Amino acid sequence: MSSVSDHASNNLLSKIAISDQHGENSPYFDGWKAYDSNPYHPLKNPDGVIQMGLAENQLSFDSIEEWIKKNPTASICTTEGVGQFRDIAIFQDYHGLPQFRNAIASFMGRVRGNRVSFDPDRVVMAGGATGANELIIFCLANPGDAFLVPSPYYPAFNRDLSWRTGVRLIPVHCHSSNDFKITKEALEEAYENAIQSGINVKGVILANPSNPLGSNLEMQDLKDLVSFINQRQIHLVCDEIYSATVFNKPDFVSVAEIIQDMEFVNRDLIHIVYSLSKDMGLPGFRVGIVYSYNDVVVSCGRKMSSFGLVSSQTQLFLAKLLSDHAFIDKFLAESAKRLGARHQIFTDGLEEIGIKCLKSNAGLFFWMDLRSLLKDSSFEAEMVLWRVIINDVKLNVSPGSSFHCSEPGWFRVCFANMDEETVQVALKRIRKFVKGGKEIEIPKKAKRWQKSLRLSFSSRLLDEGTLMSPHSPIPHSPLVRART
């Protein structure tokens, strides 16, 4: 009876409303739900789940807080700044406050070492990087068109780029044998396979620095990528939201630098997505930017940005913050220093117990290699291991399959969203997990896996169909293989 009722109800709704293409049915989001239902707290809940699946930069909040105290006129919500209230509270043009666009353009240049400049008139606002990514796809492609995406890649790209646009994502599989670097051969193979299947490929989209690898493309890699899209006259969208999180060599190189030195490049095909969520640690401000060299895209993007504008109050504050160049230069240097130190604490701690990580120099995370802990080289074994880590070790790390990684056993670990004490608790749990050396029995119901798994740590395992989070509306996590 209920199924008939559900079917009738679904007929009243849109395809988007009843689809599962948002991507929440993956371990990436289930890990968040497990944390939300049982969050770690050193006093109130010391046995709770530690959040290591959220790429947040909380290491330099104190610097911004000190700046706010010294600059009360930056906000209309202070006695000193209230005089600006009436001008800011009224309707603002979709282009954004001129001082905000100028400050953003200047900041983007400073982040890139002032080796390239940005035109404020090409800055288009959106509601965070999520909104910016979707906006650029709406401008470039039609439902059914496809973009090539080097894998492993950010799990929420499926939501951001595909859910409402109807655009397809085709993974370009990269491998650990060359540190997951993008190769021309892999790009060409993915492109030709798509064309032969009758798929209209509109471009390539990737994050640089990479999420989840924590590494950035070097100059020659970017030149090869630009040459590839230029030869085929397809678009290149570079998500550069981690550009100021680089804490070691090689230095970050933007696609904007590459095209100013290359001849015969069709700039209409080049687009940059940016935000202040990672570099400044301000995801709650919902500041997303599309910077396009294509005049039509800029014009269309401005019209579309009316659906996701940055509040004028936020624009005013950020215009003043980002225009303080002395502060910004000091902040970026200190932030990179702190990120590098935290990265080293974690990776050194893991190396002491025999866990290796992909060499990385950027981002708020690292790519952890747990292939040696798998019972066999399969995504099913990866999911078994992940369930133990979530439910028994109580760490929310994200399995590689949710990043469309082609090889099982890799996990993304976020390190910048916690304090020093929590870092030590997390490392202590991992040490106990790896050094426990006990045999874990797999329930008989889990027919797809072997009966035992050499892991660690006296522990229970959930049956195959059990939820990772008791409050999760998702009945299971079916994503055990990389897929589009």
Side-chain angles (χ1 to χ4, degrees):
M1 189 70 179
S2 62
S3 61
V4 175
S5 177
D6 290 344
H7 178 73
S9 177
N10 286 345
N11 285 338
L12 298 175
L13 302 175
S14 70
K15 291 181 180 179
I16 287 180
I18 62 175
S19 76
D20 62 355
Q21 298 304 306
H22 182 273
E24 277 195 358
N25 57 339
S26 82
Y28 177 72
F29 287 104
D30 268 350
W32 284 24
K33 293 163 190 171
Y35 166 78
D36 288 341
S37 67
N38 184 28
Y40 168 80
H41 188 279
L43 300 177
K44 297 178 181 179
N45 192 23
D47 295 323
V49 176
I50 295 177
Q51 174 63 289
M52 303 180 77
L54 179 60
E56 260 187 356
N57 185 359
Q58 299 185 21
L59 301 188
S60 298
F61 278 165
D62 59 320
S63 298
I64 297 179
E65 289 168 346
E66 286 302 313
W67 185 90
I68 292 172
K69 293 174 184 177
K70 295 176 182 178
N71 296 270
T73 59
S75 171
I76 61 173
C77 299
T78 63
T79 301
E80 295 84 351
V82 72
Q84 304 166 98
F85 170 76
R86 296 191 181 191
D87 288 336
I88 295 301
I90 60 175
F91 174 80
Q92 305 295 333
D93 190 273
Y94 295 154
H95 289 64
L97 298 176
Q99 60 266 43
F100 171 74
R101 289 187 288 109
N102 288 334
I104 284 287
S106 173
F107 178 72
M108 290 175 67
R110 300 186 88 80
V111 165
R112 291 152 182 80
N114 290 317
R115 296 182 297 274
V116 63
S117 60
F118 293 89
D119 182 354
D121 289 334
R122 292 194 175 278
V123 171
V124 178
M125 292 186 298
T130 296
N133 275 316
E134 186 184 62
L135 186 152
I136 191 65
I137 295 300
F138 268 127
C139 291
L140 301 182
N142 298 310
D145 291 342
F147 276 79
L148 305 181
V149 192
S151 72
Y153 65 79
Y154 175 48
F157 266 174
N158 285 4
R159 172 200 66 195
D160 299 357
L161 306 174
S162 298
W163 186 39
R164 300 198 300 182
T165 66
V167 165
R168 303 174 61 174
L169 300 185
I170 299 176
V172 178
H173 294 299
C174 305
H175 306 283
S176 60
S177 57
N178 69 338
D179 295 333
F180 295 99
K181 290 183 179 179
I182 307 165
T183 65
K184 289 186 285 187
E185 293 77 15
L187 278 170
E188 289 168 357
E189 181 181 2
Y191 179 82
E192 293 301 330
N193 287 342
I195 296 300
Q196 290 174 15
S197 299
I199 299 172
N200 186 30
V201 178
K202 293 303 290 285
V204 177
I205 186 166
L206 77 163
N208 180 38
S210 167
N211 175 8
L213 302 180
S215 57
N216 54 290
L217 294 175
E218 296 190 48
M219 188 171 292
Q220 188 57 52
D221 298 324
L222 273 170
K223 286 182 178 179
D224 291 343
L225 192 57
V226 171
S227 295
F228 174 82
I229 65 99
N230 198 57
Q231 289 167 8
R232 290 157 182 80
Q233 287 298 285
I234 58 177
H235 295 278
L236 174 61
V237 180
C238 285
D239 183 335
E240 298 185 348
I241 67 172
Y242 290 99
S243 52
T245 68
V246 176
F247 48 81
N248 211 335
K249 298 291 184 180
D251 293 334
F252 174 71
V253 180
S254 170
V255 69
E257 299 174 49
I258 296 299
I259 63 173
Q260 71 180 2
D261 296 327
M262 289 182 70
E263 292 186 83
F264 311 116
V265 173
N266 183 355
R267 294 193 173 201
D268 282 348
L269 302 173
I270 308 296
H271 321 275
I272 296 172
V273 169
Y274 191 57
S275 86
L276 300 182
S277 297
K278 313 303 181 180
D279 289 352
M280 295 296 294
L282 301 174
F285 280 40
R286 309 311 303 146
V287 177
I289 299 297
V290 169
Y291 189 91
S292 176
Y293 292 89
N294 188 311
D295 292 342
V296 177
V297 170
V298 171
S299 177
C300 178
R302 285 262 162 75
K303 298 180 181 76
M304 297 193 72
S305 69
S306 61
F307 296 101
L309 289 174
V310 179
S311 79
S312 52
Q313 179 181 349
T314 300
Q315 290 184 56
L316 175 72
F317 171 81
L318 290 173
K320 296 193 176 184
L321 175 70
L322 299 180
S323 296
D324 187 340
H325 295 161
F327 168 78
I328 289 299
D329 290 345
K330 182 179 179 181
F331 175 89
L332 293 176
E334 180 63 22
S335 176
K337 180 180 177 181
R338 295 182 186 185
L339 288 171
R342 174 63 64 81
H343 176 274
Q344 187 166 359
I345 289 172
F346 256 119
T347 54
D348 285 355
L350 292 174
E351 190 171 347
E352 289 173 1
I353 54 175
I355 295 179
K356 296 183 179 180
C357 303
L358 187 75
K359 185 178 181 180
S360 57
N361 67 314
L364 312 176
F365 34 72
F366 52 85
W367 197 228
M368 180 171 64
D369 184 359
L370 296 186
R371 287 177 293 177
S372 62
L373 295 183
L374 298 181
K375 179 64 178 178
D376 56 67
S377 184
S378 68
F379 288 104
E380 287 84 357
E382 178 182 279
M383 297 310 296
V384 171
L385 175 58
W386 175 74
R387 287 185 170 100
V388 173
I389 295 173
I390 279 283
N391 292 291
D392 297 318
V393 190
K394 302 289 180 64
L395 299 177
N396 176 29
V397 298
S398 305
S401 56
S402 62
F403 292 83
H404 301 266
C405 185
S406 60
E407 302 174 16
W410 294 89
F411 293 76
R412 190 191 74 168
V413 181
C414 298
F415 61 79
N417 63 337
M418 63 190 75
D419 57 28
E420 295 290 348
E421 291 74 17
T422 306
V423 169
Q424 296 306 318
V425 174
L427 284 171
K428 182 178 180 181
R429 291 184 183 183
I430 295 172
R431 289 189 195 102
K432 184 177 181 181
F433 170 63
V434 173
K435 291 184 176 181
K438 296 190 177 181
E439 200 79 0
I440 296 176
E441 292 300 320
I442 305 299
K444 292 181 180 179
K445 292 182 181 180
K447 296 179 181 178
R448 290 188 298 175
W449 301 308
Q450 302 297 323
K451 290 184 178 180
S452 62
L453 175 67
R454 173 68 63 182
L455 289 172
S456 57
F457 192 49
S458 179
S459 163
R460 60 173 175 74
L461 263 179
L462 298 181
D463 286 351
E464 182 180 354
T466 304
L467 291 178
M468 295 301 99
S469 166
H471 301 297
S472 171
I474 310 299
H476 51 53
S477 296
L479 181 58
V480 293
R481 292 192 183 278
R483 65 176 192 269
T484 58

